[in-house]
Amino acid sequence: HFEVVRMVRALGQKLEDRQLVLLSRRMDSMLRSEVPSLLQLQTGTSADIFAKIKTMITDMITTMQQNLQEEASKKAYCDAEMGKAADKKAEKESDLETVSTRIDAAVSKSASLKKQVVTIKSELSDLAETQVNMTKLRAEEKDLFAKKEPETQKGMEGVKSALRTLRDFYKNSGVQVTSGERKGAAGGVIGRLEDVEADMAMSLSQMRSAEKSAETNFDRDLQDMKLEKAQKEKDVSYKTSEAQRLDSELNSLNSDQERNPP
């Protein structure tokens, strides 16, 4: 039976199991203190000793099983807690990555909007300058028309008056001259005057037509420029507001990132 004790002790030492080693010591102690005498062996009372050893082994096995279950439960709990910690870490890293991505996007978008605002403001400045130049040119054209039209009208009236005077003169002198006839001295003079009158009439008509077209085009261009200005000013307002919103969001994201470092 001491052989059994040695086997249990050897197994405990091999497995580095403190409970088995302790069991072997207790078995050895019990066997040595209660070694059965010849009379006990004959009467069979030695069975009590081995019953105690059996009970001891059974209790030890039960204790070991309980310890193993407790260890398994502890390991399962630790594994679960480590899993939760890993999940939280992964979630946090994902959140930080998302925040970082949102920060990069906000910085890029805000910079782009601010650049667009600068460009549009420059276009508005050019538009205002163009409008000033167009208005100045239109005023000059209008002033020139206001001066040339009456002069041309007056000159044409003068030619008409001269034609009437010449026709009356020749008529009173007995010279027959019909309109468009270019024969003789009288006909030559009247013909040239009629040409001058026709040229002046055409010039006056072209002048008036050009003025009307210029005024119409100016009004149309001015209206288009007003619409373009209004649209650009609206774009500036929206893009400026959006850039400010992104900057505010960026400050918030940076604060979140500082409060939750990786």
Side-chain angles (χ1 to χ4, degrees), residues 164-177 190:
R164 285 194 297 270
T165 300
L166 280 174
R167 287 193 180 99
D168 290 342
F169 172 76
Y170 288 132
K171 182 179 180 181
N172 294 330
S173 300
V175 178
Q176 297 293 325
V177 179
I190 290 177

Side-chain angles (χ1 to χ4, degrees), residues 154-172 175 177-182 185-201:
K154 186 177 180 180
M156 192 169 64
E157 292 297 333
V159 172
K160 287 181 178 180
S161 178
L163 281 171
R164 285 194 297 270
T165 300
L166 280 174
R167 287 193 180 99
D168 290 342
F169 172 76
Y170 288 132
K171 182 179 180 181
N172 294 330
V175 178
V177 179
T178 58
S179 177
E181 188 176 352
R182 309 265 174 131
V189 172
I190 290 177
R192 285 195 292 273
L193 287 175
E194 287 177 342
D195 289 341
V196 171
E197 179 188 16
D199 289 342
M200 294 183 74

Side-chain angles (χ1 to χ4, degrees), residues 30-89:
M30 182 176 290
L31 287 172
R32 290 181 184 278
S33 64
E34 299 187 30
V35 174
S37 63
L38 180 59
L39 178 60
Q40 289 174 321
L41 290 172
Q42 291 174 348
T43 58
T45 55
S46 61
D48 293 338
I49 298 173
F50 296 109
K52 291 180 180 180
I53 294 175
K54 180 179 180 182
T55 300
M56 185 188 305
I57 294 174
T58 301
D59 292 343
M60 184 63 67
I61 292 173
T62 301
T63 301
M64 290 176 64
Q65 288 176 339
Q66 290 175 348
N67 290 338
L68 288 174
Q69 289 177 352
E70 289 176 1
E71 290 295 327
S73 297
K74 289 180 180 179
K75 185 177 185 304
Y77 175 79
C78 290
D79 290 345
E81 290 300 313
M82 290 179 64
K84 290 178 181 178
D87 290 341
K88 288 182 179 179
K89 182 180 179 182

Side-chain angles (χ1 to χ4, degrees), residues 5 8 18-28 53 56-57 60-61 64:
V5 174
V8 172
R18 184 172 173 275
Q19 295 293 333
L20 287 176
V21 174
L22 182 60
L23 174 61
S24 69
R25 289 175 180 174
R26 292 177 64 185
M27 290 170 62
D28 182 66
I53 294 175
M56 185 188 305
I57 294 174
M60 184 63 67
I61 292 173
M64 290 176 64

Side-chain angles (χ1 to χ4, degrees), residues 219-230:
D219 290 342
R220 184 189 65 243
D221 292 342
L222 196 62
Q223 183 63 28
D224 290 343
M225 291 176 72
K226 286 181 179 179
L227 293 174
E228 183 178 358
K229 179 184 177 184

